[in-house]
Each structure stands twice: as structure tokens, then as C-alpha cells.
């Protein structure tokens, strides 16, 4: 029990430590081992139907980061200073339709489902797409994007638990950013779209004020 209490306190300390770091210490770099650990927590994150509709593009070349700056207003401080900068992509609608090669690969090659099980799950998934997502391209893509935020949160929490700072970023021009990534060969055709970005590194200085949040009873209702 004592060990469990220590673990819980350590996890809460990580949440209290984490803040949206606007600029990082350029003299400190995350080790390959630590960043692999962070990426692994993203890879192991849960996703709806187990489709893992994400791709983590680690942007380390300074020239490419410079190209992203004019269209990424929310990352002007992080792009030049982050030890590691990640653009998270989400699979687009064509890959997530029930009859797509990607969905079939996930059922059979990744989850190793027998053919009869694949048929049952695919019927259920088809119903989900047609009813919950209205078989609509935009709704399917937005559903895909929502899955990536699970991985994003897990990676930031894991980073905080080993003393690494992070900053999630949504402040960017999606069309222009997509065009740059397509020109660089990172996005090919309509297979992926941009979901969000996240920077990792070590803070230059501590936040000016402690973390502030509403009290628990203001956001939780028991029935």
C-alpha cells in the first residue's frame, strides 16, 4: 500500500510539473533512449477499434523547422528551441472506410483476427461509420483526429514523469502546413492530414506562477 501511495503521488507531481513550455533550453537535448520511451507511450496508446490512425513525424532539421514557422504562429518559440518537435498526423477518411486496405490490414495482420471474426467486426464498424459518423468524409477525419489526442496526452504525461517538458500546439494554418509537408514528401496524397503538433525539451526557466486549475467539485458531478 505504501508503494502504491508513492506511485500515485509521483504521478500527480508529474501533472503538477507539466506546463505548456513556450521556449526551451537549447543547450539541453533529450537522449535517444528517453525520446524513444516517449514515442513508445504514443505507440501503445489506445484508439477506437484499435485502428491506431496516427503517424508521429519528428521534425529535427533546422531548415524544415524554419519553413514551418511562418505558418505555425503557435509554435514560434518552440520550433527554434525544442529538443524534439513532432507533427502528429491523422489518417484520412479513405483509409478508415470499412472496405479499405488499411482497415483490412489492421483486422488481419495486426490484430490477427480469423476471417469470421473480421466479418462480424466489419459489420459492426460499418454500422458505426454509417450511423455515428453519417458516412461523411469530414466526420470520419475528425474522429480520426480525436484519436491522436489520446496519444498526445500520454506522451506529454510520460515526458513529465521523467522530467521532460512539452507543449501541445494547435496554432497553425492547416492548409499551408499541409502544403509544406506534401512538398517535403511527408504527406503523400490524401493518406494523412495534420492533427496537431507537440514540442519536447527542457524549460529555460520555471513558470512565473504555479499551475492553476478549477477545484475538483466545480468540474465533477456525481449522480
Amino acid at each position: 500500500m505504501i508503494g502504491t501511495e508513492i506511485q500515485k503521488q509521483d504521478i500527480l507531481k508529474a501533472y503538477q510539473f507539466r506546463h505548456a513550455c513556450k521556449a526551451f533550453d537549447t543547450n539541453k537535448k533529450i537522449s535517444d533512449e528517453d525520446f524513444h520511451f516517449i514515442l513508445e507511450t504514443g505507440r501503445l496508446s489506445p484508439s477506437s477499434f484499435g485502428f491506431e490512425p496516427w503517424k508521429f513525424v519528428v521534425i529535427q532539421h533546422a531548415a524544415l523547422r524554419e519553413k514551418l514557422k511562418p505558418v505555425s504562429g503557435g509554435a514560434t518559440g518552440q520550433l527554434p528551441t525544442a529538443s524534439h518537435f513532432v507533427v502528429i498526423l491523422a489518417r484520412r477518411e479513405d483509409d478508415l472506410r470499412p472496405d479499405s486496405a488499411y482497415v483490412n490490414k489492421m483486422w488481419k495482420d495486426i490484430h490477427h483476427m480469423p476471417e469470421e471474426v473480421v466479418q462480424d467486426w466489419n459489420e459492426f464498424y460499418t454500422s458505426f461509420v454509417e450511423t455515428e459518423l453519417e458516412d461523411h468524409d469530414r466526420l470520419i477525419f475528425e474522429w480520426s483526429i480525436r484519436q491522436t489526442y489520446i496519444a498526445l496526452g500520454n506522451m506529454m504525461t510520460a515526458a513529465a514523469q521523467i522530467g521532460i517538458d512539452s507543449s501541445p500546439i494547435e496554432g497553425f494554418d492547416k492548409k499551408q502546413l499541409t502544403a509544406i509537408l506534401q512538398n517535403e514528401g511527408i504527406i503523400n496524397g490524401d493518406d494523412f492530414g495534420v492533427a496537431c503538433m507537440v514540442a519536447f525539451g527542457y524549460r529555460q526557466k520555471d513558470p512565473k506562477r504555479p499551475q492553476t486549475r478549477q477545484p475538483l467539485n466545480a468540474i465533477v458531478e456525481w449522480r
Side-chain angles (χ1 to χ4, degrees), residues 173-218:
D173 185 309
K174 186 169 287 190
K175 287 185 179 179
Q176 293 190 64
L177 180 61
T178 299
I180 292 171
L181 297 179
Q182 287 174 332
N183 189 55
E184 294 289 327
I186 295 169
I187 293 178
N188 298 302
D190 294 325
D191 51 354
F192 284 97
V194 180
C196 59
M197 305 189 292
V198 57
F200 295 96
Y202 294 95
R203 65 187 66 181
Q204 290 180 346
K205 53 187 177 181
D206 289 330
K208 292 181 179 178
R209 59 192 179 96
Q211 190 183 86
T212 55
R213 293 292 189 275
Q214 297 182 76
L216 196 63
N217 61 12

Side-chain angles (χ1 to χ4, degrees), residues 17-55:
F17 164 84
R18 201 213 67 77
H19 76 292
C21 195
K22 302 303 182 184
F24 299 89
D25 186 341
T26 55
N27 294 314
K28 295 182 180 179
K29 298 298 180 184
I30 301 169
S31 70
D32 291 344
E33 179 184 353
D34 283 349
F35 199 69
H36 179 82
F37 162 75
I38 292 169
L39 289 174
E40 188 69 356
T41 65
R43 185 183 75 88
L44 294 174
S45 295
S47 58
S48 188
F49 290 93
F51 284 159
E52 305 168 34
W54 44 59
K55 185 175 183 179

